[in-house]
Amino acid sequence: MAKIIDNLVEYMLAARTAKLPVEVIQKGKSHLLDTFAAIVSGSTLKPGKLGLHHVRAQGGKDECGVLGTNLKTTPILAAFANGMSGHADETDDSNSQLHPGCAIVPAALAIAESQDRGGDALLRAVILGYDIGFRFHQAFDPRSTSFGATFGCAAAAGTLAQLDELQVRYLISYAAQQGSGSRAWVGDDDHIEKAFDYAGMPARNGVAAALLIQSGFTGNRDVLEGDQGIIKTYAPCDPKKILHELGQRFTITSCLVKKYPVGSPMMETVDATLVLLSKNTINAGDIEKVTVRIPESGARTVNNRNMPDVNVQYMVASILIDGKLTFESAHDYERFKNPRVLALKEKVQLIGDEAMERSGPRFQGRVEVTIKDGKTLCEHVSNCRGRPENPMNPEEVEKKAAWLMEPVLGKKNVEQIFESVRRIESVKNVRDLTKLMTLVLFRFPSPFDGEG
């Protein structure tokens, strides 16, 4: 009977030319564009700037672009920098605890650009990376985000490096050796270690694995079930999940494209707050209290965190004061300490709702605003736009991407990027795409720009 590694390698090799369903191709394009937007916008934030500072200090050959800047560097360093920008905030896609795009797209982009691959190969590599990364993420417990992402990044990079059957076996082993991480990022106040864990590190490691194998490195032919294989020696594992529905269920079709730049469990809460404001005139000074209900597991993730975009009390208070949500307000640490915002934030009570947890959709948000005259306004949202159950169409993804990219790249470049992604299969060299996302004139920023 064939081992898991045999079936896995066979699938990874066949994925380079296999016929893909139309839905999968379109989803791939949408997630590719969504991640480009996350990287470009994230390059303006502190985690992205720090990644850029680190990479610039290392030097290296001018091979691959760092999006949103004028810097070119080596594939490994470009993957790292673009990964740091890709998860500099909460704009990127997600699936369960995994944020696939912010890691897998930078890894694939680096190899595609450095080895002059075309758009069709890039798209296929990204779709494959989502499939492999998520299955390793699900199979091994505890599920550190970077562990599964490393396998996804290696798979995407390896297919673009055109590794052969034996080399792919080695690739999986080198991914296993670098697979690491923990959930301790929850103690990060600045979204910097989180960006490293979710994206910068796995993107870097996946590209490194592919390039090492391509240059002649050899290793274990079966790191899964062979001698000292990780199925036995790593954390508890359900090996069936590595191959489960591979080629039948494509992970990219079940990922969230975020409508708002905030933590995933609070998407519905943000949506409900904005709907309330669209239906009612609410003066923040007249608010007596605000009660927010989220399923219990999600509430733990967004309860009074030290990062603005993952703090539900702050985001609700900020939106009610401004009457809207902006990219800037979601990432403004100074506003996070603003006395007026803090005063309203103290009136926002978050309840982890056990009944929501037990029944109904997994993702819900109920917002109740009590006015001082006793009137209560309420809105309840389930499965916000962008969830797999309520997906955005391509035009909506482009609208979101324009919102994020135009302030950095300008409207003309963004329109050209959209056109290139729509016809990605016909893009002969990925460099033609990446040059649209880099700047000709660029002032190298300090990571501390904008801080007092």
Side-chain angles (χ1 to χ4, degrees):
M1 189 172 76
K3 290 187 173 182
I4 293 173
I5 192 75
D6 300 327
N7 291 313
L8 184 63
V9 171
E10 181 182 4
Y11 181 80
M12 290 171 66
L13 291 171
R16 300 174 188 179
T17 56
K19 184 175 176 58
L20 294 171
V22 173
E23 179 198 9
V24 174
I25 293 171
Q26 183 54 61
K27 284 287 188 179
K29 292 178 180 180
S30 289
H31 284 269
L32 195 61
L33 177 60
D34 189 61
T35 306
F36 289 157
I39 296 170
V40 169
S41 61
S43 71
T44 68
L45 301 175
K46 189 173 180 179
K49 292 177 182 178
L50 281 168
L52 178 59
H53 265 262
H54 170 73
V55 165
R56 187 178 286 272
Q58 305 310 304
K61 292 169 60 179
D62 294 352
E63 297 179 73
C64 304
V66 177
L67 306 191
T69 81
N70 71 340
L71 178 64
K72 281 182 171 283
T73 186
T74 65
I76 292 173
L77 290 174
F80 175 79
N82 286 327
M84 289 296 294
S85 291
H87 195 62
D89 68 332
E90 293 292 328
T91 306
D92 54 303
D93 65 13
S94 65
N95 186 311
S96 183
Q97 295 172 355
L98 193 67
H99 284 239
C102 62
I104 291 165
V105 171
L109 196 64
I111 296 294
E113 190 173 5
S114 65
Q115 303 197 12
D116 296 316
R117 303 305 307 280
D120 183 65
L122 173 66
L123 181 64
R124 289 175 172 276
V126 168
I127 292 168
L128 175 67
Y130 276 58
D131 278 337
I132 301 303
F134 184 70
R135 283 170 171 80
F136 273 88
H137 172 71
Q138 287 290 301
F140 288 85
D141 188 40
R143 299 172 187 158
S144 72
T145 303
S146 53
F147 180 83
T150 296
F151 285 92
C153 291
T159 194
L160 285 160
Q162 298 181 293
L163 303 183
D164 64 26
E165 186 266 345
L166 181 58
Q167 288 175 317
V168 173
R169 291 172 177 267
Y170 296 152
L171 176 77
I172 296 168
S173 186
Y174 276 65
Q177 293 295 350
Q178 296 180 94
S180 60
S182 75
R183 296 175 182 171
W185 53 262
V186 296
D188 175 20
D189 291 346
D190 299 314
H191 222 287
I192 294 169
E193 182 182 343
K194 193 168 187 282
F196 175 81
D197 295 347
Y198 274 58
M201 179 177 70
R204 178 197 66 190
N205 290 354
V207 170
L211 292 178
L212 290 172
I213 302 306
Q214 191 178 48
S215 69
F217 278 53
T218 59
N220 191 328
R221 292 175 175 83
D222 183 2
V223 75
L224 302 178
E225 298 173 282
D227 188 24
Q228 298 300 308
I230 61 172
I231 285 175
K232 290 183 178 178
T233 60
Y234 271 35
C237 172
D238 183 352
K240 296 188 297 296
K241 291 182 178 179
I242 297 174
L243 299 175
H244 183 61
E245 294 183 324
L246 195 58
Q248 302 169 40
R249 180 175 63 86
F250 292 86
T251 299
I252 207 159
T253 63
S254 60
C255 286
L256 160 69
V257 173
K258 290 185 176 180
K259 184 177 180 180
Y260 307 111
V262 299
S264 174
M266 57 195 274
M267 294 282 290
E268 285 69 22
T269 300
V270 167
D271 205 45
T273 306
L274 290 168
V275 172
L276 271 178
L277 287 167
S278 72
K279 294 179 178 179
N280 305 276
T281 299
I282 302 175
N283 186 322
D286 294 335
I287 295 175
E288 180 72 32
K289 68 175 181 177
V290 181
T291 303
V292 174
R293 295 179 181 274
I294 300 175
E296 190 175 31
S297 58
R300 290 194 295 268
T301 302
V302 296
N303 182 28
N304 262 327
R305 295 282 297 282
N306 292 326
M307 293 176 277
D309 52 356
V310 198
N311 185 310
V312 71
Q313 291 92 340
Y314 163 77
M315 288 307 310
V316 169
S318 180
I319 293 168
L320 288 171
I321 289 172
D322 291 348
K324 61 183 178 180
L325 168 67
T326 66
F327 182 81
E328 291 74 21
S329 65
H331 308 101
D332 190 340
Y333 279 81
E334 288 303 312
R335 182 174 175 77
F336 199 40
K337 298 178 286 187
N338 180 280
R340 187 183 178 206
V341 176
L342 288 175
L344 183 53
K345 179 174 173 285
E346 288 299 313
K347 298 179 181 180
V348 180
Q349 179 189 14
L350 173 64
I351 297 174
D353 195 300
E354 293 183 13
M356 284 185 176
E357 187 74 33
R358 291 194 304 269
S359 62
R362 178 183 175 190
F363 295 104
Q364 303 179 57
R366 181 181 176 88
V367 178
E368 299 173 6
V369 178
T370 302
I371 309 301
K372 289 178 180 178
D373 64 6
K375 182 179 181 181
T376 298
L377 306 171
C378 180
E379 196 69 41
H380 189 153
V381 173
S382 297
N383 291 328
C384 174
R385 192 70 167 166
R387 296 280 183 201
E389 300 84 358
N390 186 18
M392 290 187 189
N393 59 42
E395 292 74 22
E396 289 172 308
V397 176
E398 288 186 359
K399 183 178 179 180
K400 173 195 169 183
W403 181 61
L404 294 171
M405 299 172 87
E406 285 183 4
V408 182
L409 301 176
K411 186 177 178 65
K412 182 179 178 181
N413 264 22
V414 171
E415 289 175 349
Q416 290 180 285
I417 292 164
F418 290 173
E419 180 57 31
S420 294
V421 174
R422 290 174 197 143
R423 57 175 185 82
I424 191 73
E425 300 95 330
S426 64
V427 172
K428 293 183 179 180
N429 193 313
V430 169
R431 292 183 187 277
D432 296 333
L433 176 58
T434 55
K435 72 182 181 182
L436 297 172
M437 292 181 280
T438 54
L439 306 181
V440 177
L441 297 175
F442 178 73
R443 180 185 69 81
F444 181 55
S446 162
F448 307 103
D449 280 355
E451 295 194 357

